[in-house]
Amino acid sequence: QVQLVESGGGLVQAGGSLRLSCAAFGRTFSSYAMGWFRQAPGKEREFVAAISRSGIRTRYADSVKGRFTISRDNAKNTVYLQMNSLKPEDTAVYDCAAGSSITATVYDYWGQGTQVTVSS
């Protein structure tokens, strides 16, 4: 069992930055690839970014490439999402998730989500 707790969401103006954190509790954090997802009102959840167990490999949704950076610190059991050049369309609830691989389509554990609101 892994518990994931996100933090760092908030209200920011367009063009601004936020860094989300996701702390993991329970089983060995480094055993899991980690992903960030988001869900805007009235829309389906969508993939944002993922990182491999070691942190060497990453992948991103086209909509955030060049603006968002996923990273992890296995010593601190934490994964991060640095979000720069934010746009109003980035407004959503952001969730982190733990899965078996960076290309996983099904993730095993999910956090409770953190709200990100970008004003124009």
Side-chain angles (χ1 to χ4, degrees), residues 22-30 73-79:
C22 173
F25 303 90
R27 299 184 67 181
T28 307
F29 176 70
S30 59
D73 185 337
N74 285 345
K76 294 183 178 180
N77 289 356
T78 302
V79 62

Side-chain angles (χ1 to χ4, degrees), residues 38-110:
R38 68 186 181 186
Q39 187 167 19
K43 296 187 177 181
E44 293 188 353
R45 177 187 288 162
E46 65 173 354
F47 168 78
V48 175
I51 189 166
S52 62
R53 297 181 184 89
S54 65
I56 292 176
R57 291 188 297 144
T58 58
R59 69 183 184 103
Y60 297 91
D62 288 343
S63 58
V64 306
K65 277 182 183 176
R67 300 188 299 122
F68 291 11
T69 302
I70 189 171
S71 62
R72 68 189 295 163
D73 185 337
N74 285 345
K76 294 183 178 180
N77 289 356
T78 302
V79 62
Y80 305 96
L81 186 68
Q82 178 66 44
M83 306 186 294
N84 299 328
S85 302
L86 282 161
K87 305 175 182 179
E89 51 264 43
D90 294 318
T91 295
V93 175
Y94 284 71
D95 291 293
C96 68
S100 59
S101 74
I102 192 174
T103 56
T105 55
V106 177
Y107 280 71
D108 301 314
Y109 302 102
W110 293 83

